[in-house]
mmCIF file of all heavy atoms in Angstrom:
data_model
loop_
_atom_site.group_PDB
_atom_site.id
_atom_site.type_symbol
_atom_site.label_atom_id
_atom_site.label_comp_id
_atom_site.label_asym_id
_atom_site.label_seq_id
_atom_site.Cartn_x
_atom_site.Cartn_y
_atom_site.Cartn_z
ATOM 1 N N LEU A 1 0.828 -1.208 0.000
ATOM 2 C CA LEU A 1 0.000 0.002 -0.002
ATOM 3 C C LEU A 1 0.862 1.258 0.002
ATOM 4 O O LEU A 1 0.570 2.222 -0.710
ATOM 5 C CB LEU A 1 -0.939 0.007 1.207
ATOM 6 C CG LEU A 1 -2.079 -0.999 1.158
ATOM 7 C CD1 LEU A 1 -2.907 -0.915 2.433
ATOM 8 C CD2 LEU A 1 -2.944 -0.788 -0.058
ATOM 9 N N GLU A 2 1.929 1.224 0.765
ATOM 10 C CA GLU A 2 2.839 2.377 0.817
ATOM 11 C C GLU A 2 3.464 2.631 -0.559
ATOM 12 O O GLU A 2 3.553 3.770 -1.011
ATOM 13 C CB GLU A 2 3.929 2.125 1.862
ATOM 14 C CG GLU A 2 4.851 3.302 2.073
ATOM 15 C CD GLU A 2 5.874 3.033 3.165
ATOM 16 O OE1 GLU A 2 5.481 2.589 4.257
ATOM 17 O OE2 GLU A 2 7.069 3.279 2.895
ATOM 18 N N GLN A 3 3.896 1.569 -1.227
ATOM 19 C CA GLN A 3 4.500 1.714 -2.555
ATOM 20 C C GLN A 3 3.465 2.210 -3.568
ATOM 21 O O GLN A 3 3.772 3.048 -4.419
ATOM 22 C CB GLN A 3 5.078 0.372 -3.023
ATOM 23 C CG GLN A 3 6.303 -0.068 -2.264
ATOM 24 C CD GLN A 3 6.683 -1.513 -2.596
ATOM 25 O OE1 GLN A 3 5.825 -2.369 -2.845
ATOM 26 N NE2 GLN A 3 7.983 -1.794 -2.575
ATOM 27 N N ALA A 4 2.242 1.669 -3.477
ATOM 28 C CA ALA A 4 1.177 2.082 -4.402
ATOM 29 C C ALA A 4 0.854 3.559 -4.220
ATOM 30 O O ALA A 4 0.683 4.292 -5.203
ATOM 31 C CB ALA A 4 -0.071 1.227 -4.204
ATOM 32 N N LEU A 5 0.791 4.017 -2.973
ATOM 33 C CA LEU A 5 0.495 5.420 -2.718
ATOM 34 C C LEU A 5 1.639 6.306 -3.222
ATOM 35 O O LEU A 5 1.402 7.340 -3.861
ATOM 36 C CB LEU A 5 0.253 5.661 -1.226
ATOM 37 C CG LEU A 5 -0.215 7.063 -0.851
ATOM 38 C CD1 LEU A 5 -1.496 7.445 -1.584
ATOM 39 C CD2 LEU A 5 -0.423 7.148 0.652
ATOM 40 N N LYS A 6 2.861 5.890 -2.987
ATOM 41 C CA LYS A 6 4.020 6.662 -3.473
ATOM 42 C C LYS A 6 4.005 6.743 -5.000
ATOM 43 O O LYS A 6 4.220 7.811 -5.577
ATOM 44 C CB LYS A 6 5.314 6.018 -2.987
ATOM 45 C CG LYS A 6 6.562 6.771 -3.406
ATOM 46 C CD LYS A 6 7.825 6.121 -2.888
ATOM 47 C CE LYS A 6 9.026 6.907 -3.385
ATOM 48 N NZ LYS A 6 10.282 6.295 -3.103
ATOM 49 N N LYS A 7 3.726 5.626 -5.651
ATOM 50 C CA LYS A 7 3.677 5.604 -7.114
ATOM 51 C C LYS A 7 2.510 6.453 -7.631
ATOM 52 O O LYS A 7 2.629 7.129 -8.648
ATOM 53 C CB LYS A 7 3.567 4.158 -7.606
ATOM 54 C CG LYS A 7 3.721 4.003 -9.097
ATOM 55 C CD LYS A 7 3.833 2.523 -9.455
ATOM 56 C CE LYS A 7 3.825 2.311 -10.934
ATOM 57 N NZ LYS A 7 5.111 2.402 -11.561
ATOM 58 N N ALA A 8 1.395 6.440 -6.905
ATOM 59 C CA ALA A 8 0.245 7.274 -7.278
ATOM 60 C C ALA A 8 0.616 8.749 -7.235
ATOM 61 O O ALA A 8 0.305 9.499 -8.166
ATOM 62 C CB ALA A 8 -0.931 6.984 -6.350
ATOM 63 N N VAL A 9 1.294 9.154 -6.168
ATOM 64 C CA VAL A 9 1.711 10.557 -6.034
ATOM 65 C C VAL A 9 2.682 10.926 -7.161
ATOM 66 O O VAL A 9 2.564 12.000 -7.771
ATOM 67 C CB VAL A 9 2.329 10.817 -4.643
ATOM 68 C CG1 VAL A 9 2.978 12.191 -4.579
ATOM 69 C CG2 VAL A 9 1.269 10.666 -3.556
ATOM 70 N N GLU A 10 3.619 10.045 -7.451
ATOM 71 C CA GLU A 10 4.573 10.314 -8.538
ATOM 72 C C GLU A 10 3.848 10.456 -9.874
ATOM 73 O O GLU A 10 4.146 11.369 -10.656
ATOM 74 C CB GLU A 10 5.611 9.196 -8.613
ATOM 75 C CG GLU A 10 6.589 9.187 -7.456
ATOM 76 C CD GLU A 10 7.456 7.938 -7.395
ATOM 77 O OE1 GLU A 10 7.287 7.020 -8.237
ATOM 78 O OE2 GLU A 10 8.311 7.864 -6.484
ATOM 79 N N SER A 11 2.905 9.569 -10.133
ATOM 80 C CA SER A 11 2.122 9.642 -11.375
ATOM 81 C C SER A 11 1.313 10.926 -11.422
ATOM 82 O O SER A 11 1.248 11.602 -12.458
ATOM 83 C CB SER A 11 1.193 8.427 -11.494
ATOM 84 O OG SER A 11 1.938 7.245 -11.614
ATOM 85 N N HIS A 12 0.690 11.266 -10.304
ATOM 86 C CA HIS A 12 -0.112 12.482 -10.197
ATOM 87 C C HIS A 12 0.743 13.712 -10.500
ATOM 88 O O HIS A 12 0.368 14.561 -11.314
ATOM 89 C CB HIS A 12 -0.692 12.550 -8.783
ATOM 90 C CG HIS A 12 -1.754 13.566 -8.578
ATOM 91 N ND1 HIS A 12 -2.559 13.567 -7.478
ATOM 92 C CD2 HIS A 12 -2.132 14.655 -9.294
ATOM 93 C CE1 HIS A 12 -3.386 14.585 -7.541
ATOM 94 N NE2 HIS A 12 -3.141 15.261 -8.637
ATOM 95 N N GLN A 13 1.899 13.787 -9.876
ATOM 96 C CA GLN A 13 2.791 14.928 -10.083
ATOM 97 C C GLN A 13 3.318 14.995 -11.509
ATOM 98 O O GLN A 13 3.668 16.075 -11.994
ATOM 99 C CB GLN A 13 3.949 14.877 -9.087
ATOM 100 C CG GLN A 13 3.500 15.137 -7.663
ATOM 101 C CD GLN A 13 4.596 14.922 -6.634
ATOM 102 O OE1 GLN A 13 5.576 14.212 -6.872
ATOM 103 N NE2 GLN A 13 4.429 15.513 -5.465
ATOM 104 N N SER A 14 3.380 13.851 -12.180
ATOM 105 C CA SER A 14 3.861 13.808 -13.562
ATOM 106 C C SER A 14 2.744 14.044 -14.572
ATOM 107 O O SER A 14 2.975 13.994 -15.774
ATOM 108 C CB SER A 14 4.514 12.444 -13.838
ATOM 109 O OG SER A 14 5.644 12.276 -13.026
ATOM 110 N N GLY A 15 1.526 14.246 -14.074
ATOM 111 C CA GLY A 15 0.398 14.481 -14.970
ATOM 112 C C GLY A 15 -0.217 13.217 -15.533
ATOM 113 O O GLY A 15 -1.045 13.282 -16.449
ATOM 114 N N LEU A 16 0.158 12.072 -14.998
ATOM 115 C CA LEU A 16 -0.404 10.796 -15.446
ATOM 116 C C LEU A 16 -1.644 10.495 -14.596
ATOM 117 O O LEU A 16 -1.658 9.596 -13.754
ATOM 118 C CB LEU A 16 0.646 9.683 -15.323
ATOM 119 C CG LEU A 16 1.937 9.918 -16.100
ATOM 120 C CD1 LEU A 16 2.991 8.879 -15.741
ATOM 121 C CD2 LEU A 16 1.658 9.916 -17.601
ATOM 122 N N PHE A 17 -2.690 11.275 -14.838
ATOM 123 C CA PHE A 17 -3.868 11.242 -13.978
ATOM 124 C C PHE A 17 -4.573 9.890 -13.969
ATOM 125 O O PHE A 17 -5.045 9.443 -12.922
ATOM 126 C CB PHE A 17 -4.849 12.343 -14.377
ATOM 127 C CG PHE A 17 -4.387 13.732 -14.052
ATOM 128 C CD1 PHE A 17 -5.093 14.828 -14.495
ATOM 129 C CD2 PHE A 17 -3.239 13.969 -13.296
ATOM 130 C CE1 PHE A 17 -4.688 16.125 -14.192
ATOM 131 C CE2 PHE A 17 -2.823 15.260 -12.985
ATOM 132 C CZ PHE A 17 -3.553 16.339 -13.440
ATOM 133 N N LYS A 18 -4.658 9.240 -15.112
ATOM 134 C CA LYS A 18 -5.337 7.944 -15.184
ATOM 135 C C LYS A 18 -4.626 6.906 -14.303
ATOM 136 O O LYS A 18 -5.263 6.171 -13.554
ATOM 137 C CB LYS A 18 -5.376 7.466 -16.636
ATOM 138 C CG LYS A 18 -6.612 6.719 -17.029
ATOM 139 C CD LYS A 18 -6.567 6.349 -18.492
ATOM 140 C CE LYS A 18 -7.797 6.915 -19.149
ATOM 141 N NZ LYS A 18 -7.979 6.420 -20.505
ATOM 142 N N ASP A 19 -3.302 6.875 -14.404
ATOM 143 C CA ASP A 19 -2.507 5.950 -13.586
ATOM 144 C C ASP A 19 -2.641 6.279 -12.101
ATOM 145 O O ASP A 19 -2.824 5.391 -11.267
ATOM 146 C CB ASP A 19 -1.034 5.995 -13.982
ATOM 147 C CG ASP A 19 -0.768 5.478 -15.390
ATOM 148 O OD1 ASP A 19 -1.631 4.783 -15.955
ATOM 149 O OD2 ASP A 19 0.311 5.781 -15.918
ATOM 150 N N ALA A 20 -2.544 7.557 -11.782
ATOM 151 C CA ALA A 20 -2.643 7.990 -10.384
ATOM 152 C C ALA A 20 -4.004 7.627 -9.807
ATOM 153 O O ALA A 20 -4.099 7.098 -8.697
ATOM 154 C CB ALA A 20 -2.403 9.485 -10.286
ATOM 155 N N GLU A 21 -5.050 7.893 -10.565
ATOM 156 C CA GLU A 21 -6.412 7.594 -10.103
ATOM 157 C C GLU A 21 -6.579 6.106 -9.821
ATOM 158 O O GLU A 21 -7.116 5.713 -8.786
ATOM 159 C CB GLU A 21 -7.437 8.062 -11.125
ATOM 160 C CG GLU A 21 -8.869 7.845 -10.691
ATOM 161 C CD GLU A 21 -9.870 8.427 -11.671
ATOM 162 O OE1 GLU A 21 -9.500 8.748 -12.827
ATOM 163 O OE2 GLU A 21 -11.029 8.565 -11.274
ATOM 164 N N ALA A 22 -6.092 5.274 -10.728
ATOM 165 C CA ALA A 22 -6.197 3.821 -10.541
ATOM 166 C C ALA A 22 -5.454 3.381 -9.277
ATOM 167 O O ALA A 22 -5.949 2.537 -8.511
ATOM 168 C CB ALA A 22 -5.651 3.090 -11.765
ATOM 169 N N LEU A 23 -4.298 3.951 -9.045
ATOM 170 C CA LEU A 23 -3.510 3.586 -7.859
ATOM 171 C C LEU A 23 -4.154 4.104 -6.571
ATOM 172 O O LEU A 23 -4.186 3.388 -5.562
ATOM 173 C CB LEU A 23 -2.075 4.092 -7.996
ATOM 174 C CG LEU A 23 -1.225 3.302 -9.004
ATOM 175 C CD1 LEU A 23 0.006 4.101 -9.387
ATOM 176 C CD2 LEU A 23 -0.847 1.951 -8.422
ATOM 177 N N TYR A 24 -4.679 5.329 -6.573
ATOM 178 C CA TYR A 24 -5.377 5.834 -5.388
ATOM 179 C C TYR A 24 -6.564 4.924 -5.061
ATOM 180 O O TYR A 24 -6.793 4.581 -3.899
ATOM 181 C CB TYR A 24 -5.894 7.267 -5.597
ATOM 182 C CG TYR A 24 -4.834 8.338 -5.642
ATOM 183 C CD1 TYR A 24 -4.892 9.364 -6.566
ATOM 184 C CD2 TYR A 24 -3.775 8.350 -4.729
ATOM 185 C CE1 TYR A 24 -3.943 10.381 -6.611
ATOM 186 C CE2 TYR A 24 -2.811 9.349 -4.767
ATOM 187 C CZ TYR A 24 -2.898 10.358 -5.714
ATOM 188 O OH TYR A 24 -1.943 11.353 -5.741
ATOM 189 N N LYS A 25 -7.295 4.531 -6.084
ATOM 190 C CA LYS A 25 -8.459 3.657 -5.868
ATOM 191 C C LYS A 25 -8.035 2.280 -5.371
ATOM 192 O O LYS A 25 -8.726 1.674 -4.554
ATOM 193 C CB LYS A 25 -9.290 3.551 -7.148
ATOM 194 C CG LYS A 25 -10.048 4.836 -7.433
ATOM 195 C CD LYS A 25 -10.879 4.750 -8.690
ATOM 196 C CE LYS A 25 -11.671 6.029 -8.893
ATOM 197 N NZ LYS A 25 -12.501 5.992 -10.104
ATOM 198 N N GLN A 26 -6.894 1.795 -5.843
ATOM 199 C CA GLN A 26 -6.363 0.514 -5.380
ATOM 200 C C GLN A 26 -6.051 0.596 -3.879
ATOM 201 O O GLN A 26 -6.380 -0.315 -3.124
ATOM 202 C CB GLN A 26 -5.096 0.163 -6.173
ATOM 203 C CG GLN A 26 -4.435 -1.126 -5.759
ATOM 204 C CD GLN A 26 -3.136 -1.365 -6.543
ATOM 205 O OE1 GLN A 26 -2.967 -0.887 -7.652
ATOM 206 N NE2 GLN A 26 -2.226 -2.093 -5.941
ATOM 207 N N VAL A 27 -5.438 1.677 -3.477
ATOM 208 C CA VAL A 27 -5.139 1.880 -2.047
ATOM 209 C C VAL A 27 -6.442 1.928 -1.254
ATOM 210 O O VAL A 27 -6.563 1.287 -0.199
ATOM 211 C CB VAL A 27 -4.310 3.169 -1.826
ATOM 212 C CG1 VAL A 27 -4.204 3.507 -0.352
ATOM 213 C CG2 VAL A 27 -2.927 3.027 -2.452
ATOM 214 N N LEU A 28 -7.437 2.644 -1.764
ATOM 215 C CA LEU A 28 -8.694 2.793 -1.044
ATOM 216 C C LEU A 28 -9.506 1.503 -0.985
ATOM 217 O O LEU A 28 -10.270 1.295 -0.043
ATOM 218 C CB LEU A 28 -9.524 3.930 -1.655
ATOM 219 C CG LEU A 28 -8.938 5.311 -1.402
ATOM 220 C CD1 LEU A 28 -9.648 6.362 -2.233
ATOM 221 C CD2 LEU A 28 -8.987 5.662 0.082
ATOM 222 N N GLU A 29 -9.334 0.625 -1.970
ATOM 223 C CA GLU A 29 -10.001 -0.686 -1.905
ATOM 224 C C GLU A 29 -9.479 -1.476 -0.711
ATOM 225 O O GLU A 29 -10.245 -2.148 -0.024
ATOM 226 C CB GLU A 29 -9.760 -1.472 -3.196
ATOM 227 C CG GLU A 29 -10.613 -1.040 -4.351
ATOM 228 C CD GLU A 29 -10.298 -1.811 -5.627
ATOM 229 O OE1 GLU A 29 -9.795 -2.951 -5.541
ATOM 230 O OE2 GLU A 29 -10.561 -1.259 -6.706
#
């Protein structure tokens, strides 16, 4: 979960919104 959240933030900051959204939702599941 920690790695997924970190990767989500990195994707988000890079403008990869689709990837970030999927990872945030994965963490929330």
Side-chain angles (χ1 to χ4, degrees):
L1 289 178
E2 185 177 311
Q3 290 170 326
L5 186 57
K6 182 179 178 187
K7 189 170 173 87
V9 170
E10 289 169 358
S11 295
H12 192 166
Q13 291 173 338
S14 296
L16 302 171
F17 290 172
K18 215 177 236 191
D19 294 342
E21 183 175 15
L23 287 163
Y24 289 138
K25 288 180 177 180
Q26 179 183 333
V27 170
L28 290 170
E29 282 177 25

